[in-house]
Amino acid sequence: MGPERLHSKQEAHSAVRVTPPAVESFFHLDSPESPWPEEVRESESVESEIKLRSEILGNLEQIFHEVPNAATDIQAAIESGELGEENVVSLYEKMGEFFKKEDSSRLTLYFPFELLPNQDRQPLSPKYQRASKDFANAYMSRWYELLGTRDVRANFVDGDVQELEHRENGPSRVVKAAHLIPKLVERKLLSAEEVLAMLDTDDDVLRTSIADAVLVLNDMELLAKRDVESMSQSKDMFVAELAGLLARSKQSTVEKEEATGATFTNFADIESALERDMRDAENGLPTDISSERRAWLLKEARKNIIHIYGEKVAVLLSRDMLTSKELEALPEGGDMQEAAVAGLQQTIEMTFDTNEAEGKALFLRYQSMLDGLWKSDGHVLKDSVEALYLRLHTIGIVSEDELRERGIIPPELAGPFAKNLERMPSELKEISKAATGIESNAELSKYLYPASLIFGSRLKGYGGTDADIDLALFVRPGTDLSEREHIQSLAKKHFAHEKVEGSLVEFWLKDTDTGLEVIDFDATDSHLSDSSWTHVLFGGAWTGKQEDIKMLHEQLLAPYLQPTEKTVNGRPIREVWLEEMERDFLQYRLMHKGYARTHRPQGGAATPNLEAIDGNSTFWDSGYRRVATKLFLSRVLLPEVVK
């Protein structure tokens, strides 16, 4: 991908030049405008890596296009004629090759279950059988490797990793690969006997994670009665107690009844209860936490309450106990107005599921009201309406032309990220002008290069209209840290846009024999980056003076692509760099908030003990896993320049 030129629709005559994120530019090294130095552009090892990933992405794009329902089993799609067998054979052959690579194992966590070979189904052609078997062996080989990896559990649940000073024993850990066990047994890639044998381990975290999965395995009736009886007779107390838990689970009702809370019969009571819960949420927050964490907790609590009361509004709408006049009469800018939008969204989607024509008619009934809310000044409410339009777009109720008529540009969650900058033309123009303008600012140019990185949720497509724009600046080598406060003051004045103020981070650089390096300071804060921030360095879009952008690619980024024996706390440093990219591109807000903002759920699972493997997380959503797989292949990479 060559550097893209993005134009503001309002001022098309004034082009804003943006160099796409480094990970995107890998896929277009032959472009004459590639910012990479010759040793990267002409590297056979880099070319080979990018070629394989590009081919796999092409296979996936074709399969996803032909099979739009993410919950569809791949072999069932072939048998029905929805998909050609040759596409899947090609995918399996290339994925088998990919999983032989050293940095590939983490993709097993995200790869769509529906694309895994299903040994339960009637085999297809001999060529398909060979390709699927080789792929399954490669996939499982990498999966077994991950059984030795402990992940932060919150990264796969809600992203709520507490501040260091408020942790007693560090963040809770889980072997996330073990949580995939029920799906792998379902696809006959593992047997129940093999799973139970894996409980014989001294690794407590692994053992507990496998036990979590066994509970769900039992729900799915993939454990034989004799297996549970054998476990109950085990001399290992952990295994015997787990057997007892399984037996009690079987005796309980197959489906647990969820507490639905208070039932409401009118709108006024919902509004009163919503206001009370909002007050309680704010008053119930801990007092011994930072203002940043308090703001985050309050924001999350507010979103959860809005969702809950949106469900209650949906119940009234489905029972014809709420009129359009009552919705339209809501006070402007209130929490209830936002809950009403959430309830309306849920009602339209549920109606569409059972009768597409009725779902579209329901949307049309409220369209003028929604358009009125969209034109409101409140960022939070505007964001809720935008999310509604985007979700209705993904199921086919709202066309792309209708979105664009309202100034809504569908995001590119799987990239190219630079396209998402079209959603913020005026902000981009100001930021680009300010970045380039550093050079003409006599005082600021002493400290900073005239080049900046735009990163964060707005760039990645899932940030709402109220989200800040994150910006990274580069401090010249030789600058003393004592100047930091002065530099920050100058930078805030220079980048004065309301969406940028307070969202500036700094990379402090030093000269080395191989080029430039980021300085790792002992004491850091959220605005002081370090050398592990590969998700920003390689995932941000560049704007500013083109000569300096190319210099930073050559002097700062290219050294990350050289083979290295460096380690961090006993781990190869490349693992740390790639882990940061995975966390930022695949987890963080995309998993916890971003995907659900624009897409309704697909696939997933539903069993009584699903919470044991954090089954309510978007991690299990079939549509999310498609996006995550594409992002892993196109964004989580640091190809090595092997001479």
Side-chain angles (χ1 to χ4, degrees), residues 76 129 597 615:
Q129 291 179 57
R597 181 176 178 272

Side-chain angles (χ1 to χ4, degrees), residues 195-201 207 210-211 214 231 236 238-239 242:
V195 174
L196 297 181
M198 290 162 59
L199 287 168
D200 184 17
T201 175
R207 202 179 210 203
I210 294 171
V214 168
M231 291 171 64
D236 186 325
F238 182 90
V239 175
L242 177 58

Side-chain angles (χ1 to χ4, degrees), residues 313-323 326 362 365-366:
V313 170
V315 170
L316 294 187
L317 284 167
S318 66
R319 296 176 181 174
D320 291 326
M321 298 169 66
L322 182 61
T323 67
E326 287 179 285
L362 184 60
R365 188 189 310 169
Y366 289 98

